Amino acid sequence: MQASQGPRRSGDVHRLYHQPMQQVQQYYTPYQAVDNNIYNDSSSSGTQFSFQTQNEQVFTLDSLPATDYAIYDAAPSVSVSSNRSPFSPQCSQSYISDPHHSFDNTCGSPVSGCSGVDDGNGMKHALWELKNKLRGPESDIDDSSSCSFNGVFSKPSSLTKRNQVLDIASRLDLKDLLLACAEAVAEADISTAEVLMNVLEQRVSVSGEPMQRLSAYMLEGLRARLLSSGSTIYKKLKCNEPTSSDLLSYMQVLYHICPYYKFAYMSANVVIGEAMRNENTIHIIDFQIAQGSQWMFLLHDLARRPGGPPYVRVTGVDDSQSAHARGGGLKLVGERLAKVAESCGVSFEFHGAAMSGCRVELENLQVRHGEALAVNFPYMLHHMPDESVSTMNHRDRLLRLVKSLSPKIVTLVEQESNTNTAPFLPRFRETLDYYTAMFESTDAARSRDDKQRISAEEHCIARDVVNIIACEGADRVERHEPFGKWRSRLVMAGFTPISLSPSVGETIKDMLKEYSPNYKLAESQEVLYLGWKNRALATSSAWR
């Protein structure tokens, strides 16, 4: 990755991402994009941005408690004061602010009540026609008939009727076809689902346009769910994952072609660096340490601190999935970090906790008296099962455990999506909306037939999509929540949000200059949103 060529600004923390980046280039690898812990969300919640074009002078923002937002894109930054959130003006809804209300509500989250996917009368009418053709009095299709992976009916309908159905299905675009198929799956209407799957099979492609690629993976998820084999297929995907070197290579491809990992690293590092400015002994607990690359940048920054660097301890929590991606255990991470620290003249100590976050207890973290503690949650809390999955509720348990440590700063980066406790159909719509933006963004940086991008999407994104669609209960490990729900969880655990300094947004704006202008940044006092076009995809926030 090349350092940004934008104008340099003063400040040690901000300078970190423009000077030492080349020095640690060889170490910089992304977080594990696919994880394997545990997790159900009641409303589809595509979070939508509304941004200014270069010639516009007014922003239209949507419902949230009164907050000042700064919206950034490739044009010069403009600040706007508003009492509405930077999300879809067309799809507003009111929110329940009662702190005792169920998490099935958005709890003040800036989340749209409708998806970006068209669910209008045209699609519904076409689907109604489909069902009439398939389920009319003269239909000989038996819904209880078995189906197979290749979509063949045990009791096929007449050729004429099938042709009529195919004619109706041909009027639907890919999104409408997927939604119609998902509705049929949700209703256990096997005959309708099978016909639509056959049509979809002819129109999807892992090397096609973004919607064709996403549809290919969502079709596999629907097929797995219809056959009640989601868990089996997901586990098979895990067993057949690529070698560690290949998986790391795929993750590096994603790191270079889209800014989601850099967003996590940089925003958290600026916050932690500022919070620890005057501390002499720092302990960082990273609950998804992966390659440890994030802390190589921070070590370089701390080495230049006036008065000399502090003593730094890093505790890395990690599971077998990341160990597979590394090609080895946490000892490798500790050795790499120690080498960087030594080259910078920073006194350093590493402790590895090779376990899932579900298993972490106080004694695993080795907190010492007198340390200034920073805790980092990078794209990992959504893998913790909550109250809808387990009576242990590891999601909230882990937050309470961290709060009991009295950390000076806690950083949280999460995907801005709502798939945790949603029923299947709203969850499907939300997944379709979210990953449409994701696949469009990966498409912007590489050619349509780029084999590296195709492999990276298959091994680092597609498995998540299949898991969200096909699996339930403890087998569904991808359980995202929007910022409003994380906010409620953290507040109930005793945390207070910390206002983000201008340096955080400035750092991310400079980083985004390396990417497509379709990436957008929206900033409030307590949260930073990264999005593609009008869809928020990730948030970064700080807590104490």
Side-chain angles (χ1 to χ4, degrees):
M1 181 185 67
Q2 299 299 315
S4 169
Q5 299 302 310
R8 294 182 181 176
R9 295 173 173 79
S10 60
D12 290 338
V13 174
H14 187 69
R15 235 179 11 249
L16 167 64
Y17 303 104
H18 298 274
Q19 293 179 355
M21 196 171 289
Q22 293 177 344
Q23 301 173 25
V24 296
Q25 172 89 26
Q26 64 270 33
Y27 300 112
Y28 203 14
T29 52
Y31 284 121
Q32 175 70 5
V34 185
D35 220 71
N36 68 324
N37 293 350
I38 310 192
Y39 330 36
N40 286 289
D41 239 355
S42 67
S43 62
S44 178
S45 61
T47 309
Q48 305 290 328
F49 282 104
S50 177
F51 288 102
Q52 180 186 31
T53 64
Q54 294 186 7
N55 297 323
E56 292 173 338
Q57 298 299 317
V58 179
F59 287 97
T60 303
L61 306 175
D62 200 19
S63 56
L64 239 202
T67 313
D68 288 343
Y69 286 90
I71 313 296
Y72 308 106
D73 57 17
S77 62
V78 179
S79 295
V80 56
S81 179
S82 172
N83 63 352
R84 305 167 73 190
S85 120
F87 301 93
S88 54
Q90 298 86 359
C91 305
S92 62
Q93 72 178 40
S94 59
Y95 300 102
I96 298 174
S97 58
D98 180 1
H100 302 292
H101 200 274
S102 166
F103 274 115
D104 282 343
N105 291 287
T106 56
C107 305
S109 165
V111 177
S112 165
C114 64
S115 168
V117 178
D118 180 17
D119 191 22
N121 291 331
M123 187 273 283
K124 289 182 177 179
H125 179 71
L127 181 59
W128 179 81
E129 286 187 82
L130 272 173
K131 289 185 174 181
N132 274 327
K133 294 295 183 185
L134 282 169
R135 301 171 65 88
E138 74 282 10
S139 174
D140 60 356
I141 295 179
D142 181 358
D143 280 355
S144 65
S145 62
S146 61
C147 55
S148 61
F149 279 105
N150 61 9
V152 177
F153 289 108
S154 294
K155 299 180 180 179
S157 60
S158 69
L159 180 61
T160 300
K161 187 173 296 180
R162 178 178 290 277
N163 288 339
Q164 290 175 331
V165 170
L166 293 177
D167 177 65
I168 296 170
S170 68
R171 305 178 209 165
L172 303 176
D173 63 20
L174 270 176
K175 281 189 175 182
D176 289 343
L177 270 173
L178 283 169
L179 287 168
C181 190
E183 183 175 335
V185 171
E187 296 175 356
D189 184 354
I190 295 176
S191 56
T192 301
E194 283 286 353
V195 169
L196 293 174
M197 285 180 182
N198 289 337
V199 176
L200 280 165
E201 190 70 45
Q202 304 305 313
R203 295 173 61 177
V204 302
S205 170
V206 296
S207 60
E209 297 177 354
M211 181 50 60
Q212 290 177 305
R213 303 199 307 270
L214 173 58
S215 297
Y217 299 124
M218 296 196 78
L219 173 58
E220 288 307 307
L222 286 171
R223 183 171 286 137
R225 185 179 184 88
L226 185 64
L227 300 176
S228 300
S229 60
S231 298
T232 301
I233 289 178
Y234 183 69
K235 290 173 182 176
K236 184 177 179 180
L237 285 170
K238 290 172 64 63
C239 291
N240 293 340
E241 60 193 354
T243 63
S244 58
S245 59
D246 286 340
L247 181 55
L248 185 57
S249 175
Y250 301 145
M251 293 162 62
Q252 288 173 327
V253 169
L254 284 184
Y255 167 77
H256 285 292
I257 68 177
C258 50
Y260 308 118
Y261 299 125
K262 295 179 190 176
F263 174 72
Y265 285 135
M266 293 182 177
S267 59
N269 273 10
V270 174
V271 169
I272 292 171
E274 290 179 343
M276 300 298 181
R277 184 176 290 122
N278 300 315
E279 299 295 340
N280 294 321
T281 304
I282 299 172
H283 183 190
I284 299 169
I285 300 175
D286 188 346
F287 276 91
Q288 179 79 12
I289 197 163
Q291 312 303 316
S293 306
Q294 176 175 358
W295 312 118
M296 297 173 187
F297 288 94
L298 188 62
L299 288 169
H300 276 273
D301 183 56
L302 294 174
R304 300 192 306 273
R305 200 168 74 171
Y311 182 87
V312 179
R313 293 180 63 220
V314 172
T315 293
V317 180
D318 223 2
D319 55 32
S320 59
Q321 182 69 22
S322 291
H324 172 77
R326 278 192 302 270
L330 284 169
K331 182 180 178 182
L332 296 176
V333 178
E335 291 173 349
R336 296 172 69 202
L337 287 173
K339 288 180 181 178
V340 173
E342 183 179 9
S343 70
C344 297
V346 176
S347 298
F348 178 80
E349 182 181 346
F350 180 81
H351 167 61
M355 61 184 65
S356 160
C358 293
R359 295 175 48 214
V360 170
E361 301 289 349
L362 177 61
E363 57 268 22
N364 304 124
L365 303 177
Q366 298 191 4
V367 176
R368 299 171 187 168
H369 180 71
E371 300 175 317
L373 181 63
V375 177
N376 188 44
F377 289 115
Y379 295 129
M380 67 79 55
L381 269 180
H382 72 272
H383 291 118
M384 297 296 99
D386 70 350
E387 66 279 3
S388 69
V389 180
S390 167
T391 56
M392 294 294 294
N393 189 2
H394 291 289
R395 191 169 299 200
D396 290 342
R397 181 193 69 84
L398 198 56
L399 289 175
R400 291 193 299 268
L401 173 61
V402 168
K403 180 59 181 175
S404 72
L405 304 177
S406 300
K408 186 159 188 178
I409 192 74
V410 173
T411 52
L412 174 70
V413 181
E414 275 294 345
Q415 291 166 255
E416 183 65 6
S417 184
N418 195 7
T419 62
N420 182 24
T421 58
F424 166 68
L425 201 53
R427 188 168 80 236
F428 184 91
R429 293 192 185 102
E430 170 71 350
T431 303
L432 178 57
D433 190 54
Y434 183 91
Y435 284 97
T436 294
M438 178 73 74
F439 273 74
E440 285 180 358
S441 71
T442 59
D443 190 68
R446 294 288 181 96
S447 63
R448 195 59 55 76
D449 59 352
D450 186 272
K451 289 185 171 59
Q452 286 187 322
R453 180 193 48 72
I454 294 171
S455 294
E457 289 175 347
E458 177 185 359
H459 293 290
C460 298
I461 302 177
R463 187 169 58 178
D464 292 0
V465 172
V466 172
N467 183 255
I468 294 170
I469 295 172
C471 299
E472 295 294 348
D475 289 321
R476 181 154 60 85
V477 302
E478 298 299 325
R479 293 178 169 272
H480 308 105
E481 293 186 318
F483 177 73
K485 293 190 177 184
W486 290 119
R487 190 172 187 264
S488 294
R489 288 189 187 277
L490 284 152
V491 168
M492 285 196 299
F495 289 98
T496 301
I498 297 175
S499 295
L500 300 176
S501 75
S503 297
V504 185
E506 291 297 312
T507 297
I508 301 304
K509 280 194 295 179
D510 279 352
M511 179 268 289
L512 289 178
K513 291 175 182 177
E514 305 170 12
Y515 295 92
S516 166
N518 285 320
Y519 287 106
K520 309 294 182 179
L521 192 67
E523 183 179 10
S524 78
Q525 290 182 339
E526 64 179 31
V527 61
L528 201 63
Y529 295 90
L530 174 64
W532 173 261
K533 296 181 179 178
N534 69 332
R535 168 75 205 215
L537 294 177
T539 63
S540 179
S541 57
W543 304 81
R544 178 178 294 124

